[in-house]
Amino acid sequence: MKSAPRFFLFILLLLSLCFFCPFVLYITRNIDKLTFLSIILGAGITFINFLLGIWFFKIGVNRSHSIFLISILGGIVIRLFLTLTAVLLCLLFLELNRLSFIFSIFIFYFLHLIIEIIYLNLRKN
């Protein structure tokens, strides 16, 4: 896979922007501290979800089809429950801007999902 270094560089750049943009908005006082922490926490939860997805893929790659499917589909279920638990715990016990937190999770989740699909397609080819 010759495009792997470029892909990982692209991921690193994209994830840097995900954490850098809210930081710039906070420094320039366009968002308050509560909104900033909510966005960063949402980005962090979805980033951990993304890393777990890549890890489950690496477990199942180059194995039999049944192990691969169990790894991917089981990983999806485990990741979904872990993310749901983290979101519920954050909403219940932390003082967050709920709207910013939920929307940041929504946006970052789909962003990481797109990156994950591209990664899977590059690995297949």
Side-chain angles (χ1 to χ4, degrees):
M1 187 167 93
K2 294 179 181 178
S3 63
R6 283 187 17 207
F7 178 73
F8 285 116
L9 185 63
F10 170 72
I11 288 176
L12 184 64
L13 178 68
L14 191 62
L15 294 176
S16 301
L17 285 174
C18 289
F19 287 100
F20 183 71
C21 289
F23 181 72
V24 168
L25 289 173
Y26 176 67
I27 294 297
T28 58
R29 299 186 193 273
N30 288 320
I31 59 175
D32 60 344
K33 183 178 182 180
L34 195 61
T35 304
F36 171 71
L37 292 176
S38 301
I39 292 171
I40 292 297
L41 189 59
I45 289 172
T46 55
F47 181 66
I48 291 169
N49 184 16
F50 170 74
L51 290 178
L52 284 172
I54 298 297
W55 183 66
F56 279 116
F57 173 74
K58 291 206 182 252
I59 287 174
V61 74
N62 296 330
R63 305 240 175 128
S64 68
H65 292 293
S66 61
I67 302 251
F68 178 76
L69 284 176
I70 289 171
S71 172
I72 294 296
L73 295 177
I76 289 172
V77 171
I78 291 170
R79 290 167 44 207
L80 183 65
F81 281 117
L82 287 175
T83 302
L84 178 64
T85 303
V87 168
L88 288 177
L89 289 174
C90 288
L91 288 175
L92 289 174
F93 296 114
L94 297 177
E95 184 180 332
L96 298 171
N97 184 338
R98 291 177 182 235
L99 195 59
S100 298
F101 180 65
I102 296 297
F103 275 115
S104 69
I105 285 180
F106 180 74
I107 290 167
F108 289 124
Y109 180 81
F110 282 108
L111 179 69
H112 288 108
L113 189 63
I114 290 168
I115 294 171
E116 203 172 321
I117 291 170
I118 292 169
Y119 177 73
L120 291 174
N121 282 333
L122 284 177
R123 289 288 301 205
K124 186 179 87 171
N125 296 334

